[in-house]
Amino acid sequence: MPIEHNTPEELAKIARYQHVISDATAHIWAYMSKRADTIPNTISELTEEQLEILLDIESVEEEWVIDPVQRKLISIVQWEED
C-alpha cells in the first residue's frame, strides 16, 4: 500500500487552518479569563452575572478538555474549600 503525501498546497491549507484554530482558541481563553476577573477570590455569595460567567467557563472547558482530571488542573477557575 503506497504512502500518501500531502501536496505543498494541502500543507499550506493545513498550516493556515491550524493557525486560525490556535488564534481563536487563545482569543476565547483570554476572553474567559478576563470575565473570570470579575469573580472575587473569596466567594460568600454570587450574583446572577457571576454565576453565568462561571457556568460559561465550565461549559467551554468541558467541551475543549475531555479529561476531567486535566481539566481541573488547567481550569481558569481554581477552587479551594475551607
Side-chain angles (χ1 to χ4, degrees):
M1 178 174 240
I3 298 174
E4 293 186 31
H5 297 283
N6 292 317
T7 66
E9 293 82 16
E10 290 171 329
L11 291 173
K13 184 177 180 180
I14 291 167
R16 282 192 309 275
Y17 178 74
Q18 289 173 334
H19 178 74
V20 168
I21 294 298
S22 178
D23 281 356
T25 301
H27 176 76
I28 291 169
W29 217 260
Y31 173 72
M32 291 190 318
S33 183
K34 184 177 178 181
R35 289 183 72 202
D37 288 343
T38 65
I39 309 297
N41 288 335
T42 303
I43 300 173
S44 57
E45 195 172 309
L46 287 172
T47 67
E48 190 171 320
E49 181 181 2
Q50 290 169 332
L51 178 58
E52 183 178 316
I53 290 168
L54 291 174
L55 292 173
D56 288 349
I57 291 169
E58 180 181 52
S59 176
V60 170
E61 289 180 347
E62 283 181 352
E63 187 174 326
W64 288 1
V65 185
I66 305 299
D67 183 344
V69 174
Q70 290 300 314
R71 185 170 55 245
K72 185 176 180 180
L73 292 173
I74 67 167
S75 178
I76 291 171
V77 180
Q78 296 294 317
W79 299 100
E80 292 181 17
E81 297 193 28
D82 291 334

